[in-house]
Amino acid sequence: MKEKSAKKNILVSVVMGSDSDLPIMTEATKMLEEFGIGYELILTSAHRTPQRTTKFAVSAAGRGIKVIIVGAGAAAHLAGVIASQTSLPVIGVPINATSLNGLDALLSTVQMPGGIPVATMAIGKAGAKNAALFAARILALDDKELSAKLSSYIKKMAKEVEKKQANLTTL
Ligand code: RP5
């Protein structure tokens, strides 16, 4: 099922506030690759490079991007700032980057004022993985092949639980 993203139509932007977020956001890119979804990796910060962030946000839809995944830690305003400048769906991944263990990023990402939605995932690796799966579910709305891949993925997960159950009972 693995396909290289480089030659694919780029439909998803995976944005990070810092290169220190990459080990977490790799969980998202791995899933996108598994589903054969083309993506781009963008490094930009709401606070350190506000103009670069605006340039990215206002141009994304025109470049054919359909979904934006944003990982950021600390006072994580990046997803909200991007969501405020595009009508594309924005999925936020709070990252554990400070002594507050990601709670700061979670609240900064999820507590958006009414009118500017950010679909906020769990803190860290599970959130990054789910961000990619959520993007896949959005794209699958008008992509039957992708929809079938998602169904197989869900069935495979269920089978794995059954296998683990069988292993438990033979212990
Ligand atoms: C945020 O600050 C980034 O998203 C990162 O999670 C955090 C720390 O960044 P660095 O100081 O490691 O570059 O903007």
Side-chain angles (χ1 to χ4, degrees):
M1 188 152 116
K2 284 205 166 166
E3 291 174 48
K4 286 268 172 234
S5 58
K7 289 185 190 135
K8 289 225 141 243
N9 208 5
I10 292 177
L11 299 176
V12 178
S13 294
V14 179
V15 185
M16 291 169 293
S18 167
D19 58 354
S20 64
D21 298 326
L22 188 57
I24 300 296
M25 295 312 289
T26 300
E27 295 299 315
T29 59
K30 276 195 295 192
M31 284 313 291
L32 293 170
E33 281 174 25
E34 191 171 329
F35 282 95
I37 298 169
Y39 67 90
E40 62 180 7
L41 264 182
I42 304 285
L43 190 57
T44 191
S45 162
H47 307 121
R48 292 171 175 154
T49 62
Q51 279 133 4
R52 178 175 162 79
T53 298
T54 292
K55 198 171 166 193
F56 161 77
V58 300
S59 67
R63 293 188 295 105
I65 299 299
K66 303 289 182 214
V67 183
I68 302 175
I69 295 173
V70 184
H77 299 132
L78 187 57
V81 165
I82 290 173
S84 72
Q85 298 177 90
T86 180
S87 58
L88 292 174
V90 174
I91 307 170
V93 181
I95 292 186
N96 172 2
T98 75
S99 49
L100 295 181
N101 294 327
L103 191 57
D104 42 2
L106 172 65
L107 297 179
S108 308
T109 305
V110 78
Q111 286 293 76
M112 289 299 292
I116 314 291
V118 171
T120 305
M121 303 289 116
I123 298 167
K125 287 188 175 182
K129 181 177 185 176
N130 282 343
L133 285 165
F134 197 64
R137 287 181 179 212
I138 293 170
L139 295 170
L141 289 172
D142 61 0
D143 182 335
K144 281 189 184 149
E145 199 185 324
L146 185 53
S147 178
K149 282 182 188 174
L150 276 167
S151 297
S152 317
Y153 177 84
I154 291 164
K155 278 183 198 141
K156 198 173 137 209
M157 261 196 310
K159 281 210 176 103
E160 275 163 16
V161 173
E162 280 162 26
K163 213 161 94 187
K164 284 177 187 169
Q165 173 66 56
N167 288 343
L168 277 184
T169 47
T170 53
L171 282 179

